[in-house]
Amino acid sequence: MFAKIVLSLSPLPLLLASCGATTAGDSPGAASEAAEAFAREELATFNEPWAAAVAPGTQTLFVTEKSGAIRYFEVASKRQGSVTGAPTVDYGGQGGLGDIAFLPSESAANLARRTIFLTWAEAGGSDTRGAALGRGTLVCNPADACRIEGLSVIWRQQPKVTGRGHYSHRIVLSPDGKFLFVASGDRQKMTPAQDPASDLGKVIRLPIDAQGNPTGPAERYSLGHRNILGLTFDASGRLWDLEHGPAGGDELNLVEQGQNYGWPLVSDGDHYDGRAIPRNSTRPDLAAPAISWNPVIAPGDFLFYSGKMWPAWKGQALIAGMGYEGLVRVSLSGTKGTEQARYPMGKRIREIVEAPDGSLLLLEDKAGGRLVRLSKK
């Protein structure tokens, strides 16, 4: 049922796009494309997979599909199943079911009952829509039948606007368990990213208790963001985001409270119609990216690698590339990043998850997206 092959990764032409077509290339000073051998195992296929998370303490991967379904896959047994109780989503364009997360504090070998967080595109009135974040209880008893109970919205992106782009709606829990962070995209409206009274173009911080319940109002933690498709903490407890630029200017940012990341005032890319945007370097008063790409890599999600299977990569960022169809590896020194290598996969990669043993689980983008496991050859 499942094919296992060894994939020797050799340089391929780069076909890159962020939200539009562009040509390929490395960021300035980046390492040239790398050739590396991985053992590759094709595990399953999904319909437009968007996000995935391993339930803490298990080897079970839960996958959201953009059209609104949730499925799970047990890495060891290769058993699959579906989860009922997903929210109704506004499907279309870039919208649909989004991110998924669990409380690390609820780690257990058996799934049983645990808190689950989901994001999705939610319809409003007068042809508007916005991102929503919900909290519920995942119940898997018996183990081959999972459902979500008591799902309720704990944050809504305001204001709801027209269009179906740039929801972002990535989520991550802080290492101390006291906050839930939400990426709130600019919804392709641009200027609200600089409006302190709007959720658009912001990173949102929501205080929570030990069970993941909100304990206070959501806070606009940082501003000036465009379309964040990766949001995670490094081993030192620093928050980073990965976001799409326009025609050029994808960027990895160290996210700090109160900082302005410049969109749409500055960018290392330009508007799609060719109009120039002032570069980040022209505004030293605004937070500059750790690294940017022009032309773009059109990133999906990313992670900071633990080093379990590839010790030399410990602490480095592994980025899923959709425009660049593969993985991009970046090392960090303080607040600056350096691209180290690229690993072509031949498909748009939407999601990357580290399995408990240190292998990498990749989800290809769009219909028929495969779940692929990469391990050391």
Side-chain angles (χ1 to χ4, degrees):
M1 182 176 180
F2 303 103
K4 185 172 183 179
I5 60 175
V6 172
L7 177 66
S8 179
L9 300 181
S10 57
L12 295 174
L14 307 184
L15 301 176
L16 305 186
S18 185
C19 294
T22 185
T23 56
D26 290 341
S27 58
S32 61
E33 198 175 349
E36 180 89 3
F38 293 98
R40 171 174 169 143
E41 185 179 7
E42 299 175 8
L43 300 175
T45 58
F46 296 87
N47 178 33
E48 295 184 281
W50 204 91
V54 174
T58 75
Q59 294 192 46
T60 305
L61 184 76
F62 286 82
V63 178
T64 64
E65 296 179 332
K66 187 176 160 186
S67 59
I70 304 172
R71 293 171 58 192
Y72 66 83
F73 180 87
E74 293 183 355
V75 177
S77 68
K78 298 183 173 62
R79 193 161 60 93
Q80 302 179 57
S82 59
V83 180
T84 60
T88 300
V89 305
D90 189 286
Y91 173 68
Q94 296 176 16
L97 191 57
D99 212 354
I100 181 170
F102 299 97
L103 289 172
S105 60
E106 293 181 345
S107 177
N110 296 319
L111 287 171
R113 299 175 65 92
R114 64 180 70 208
T115 302
I116 187 171
F117 300 97
L118 297 168
T119 64
W120 63 93
E122 179 187 62
S126 302
D127 194 35
T128 64
R129 50 201 62 83
L133 164 65
R135 177 196 177 277
T137 301
L138 177 71
V139 181
C140 296
N141 192 11
D144 59 352
C146 292
R147 66 187 184 276
I148 298 173
E149 295 181 347
L151 183 67
S152 61
V153 175
I154 59 175
W155 173 80
R156 282 187 168 94
Q157 188 181 53
Q158 296 294 339
K160 283 184 167 64
V161 296
T162 57
R164 286 191 162 96
H166 293 192
Y167 295 94
S168 292
H169 57 30
R170 283 287 181 186
I171 51 177
V172 66
L173 288 119
S174 62
D176 62 9
K178 295 180 179 179
F179 297 98
L180 183 59
F181 286 82
V182 189
S184 179
D186 78 338
R187 299 288 278 105
Q188 298 178 314
K189 305 306 181 186
M190 297 177 58
T191 54
Q194 291 295 321
D195 180 358
S198 169
D199 286 343
L200 307 189
K202 310 297 188 297
V203 170
I204 306 295
R205 185 173 74 170
L206 184 65
I208 57 173
D209 62 18
Q211 290 73 46
N213 296 296
T215 59
E219 171 191 11
R220 296 177 184 116
Y221 187 77
S222 61
L223 73 159
H225 301 282
R226 188 174 182 268
N227 188 24
I228 299 169
L229 289 187
L231 189 69
T232 193
F233 284 88
D234 65 17
S236 300
R238 299 185 300 173
L239 179 64
W240 297 79
D241 85 354
L242 184 65
E243 57 187 279
H244 282 222
D250 291 348
E251 54 189 51
L252 179 67
N253 292 298
L254 175 63
V255 182
E256 297 179 303
Q257 187 172 15
Q259 290 295 306
N260 186 337
Y261 292 82
W263 179 254
L265 304 176
V266 293
S267 173
D268 286 338
D270 294 318
H271 294 293
Y272 295 125
D273 61 8
R275 287 178 297 128
I277 303 173
R279 294 296 180 248
N280 284 292
S281 60
T282 66
R283 291 290 301 269
D285 56 314
L286 303 176
I291 184 174
S292 65
W293 288 268
N294 190 354
V296 298
I297 59 172
D301 203 1
F302 80 115
L303 56 81
F304 289 104
Y305 187 64
S306 72
K308 291 178 183 176
M309 192 166 286
W310 293 277
W313 297 0
K314 186 173 183 178
Q316 296 186 2
L318 300 181
I319 297 170
M322 293 189 291
Y324 172 69
E325 297 179 339
L327 299 183
V328 178
R329 180 162 59 88
V330 173
S331 64
L332 294 162
S333 178
T335 61
K336 297 298 180 184
T338 303
E339 185 176 313
Q340 296 295 329
R342 295 187 177 195
Y343 307 97
M345 294 287 142
K347 294 286 186 179
R348 290 167 57 91
I349 307 301
R350 166 67 69 172
E351 177 67 293
I352 177 170
V353 175
E354 184 176 342
D357 66 355
S359 61
L360 299 173
L361 301 173
L362 309 183
L363 277 168
E364 297 171 349
D365 193 33
K366 299 190 174 182
R370 295 173 298 176
L371 173 64
V372 177
R373 179 177 180 263
L374 299 183
S375 57
K376 203 162 187 177
K377 186 179 176 182

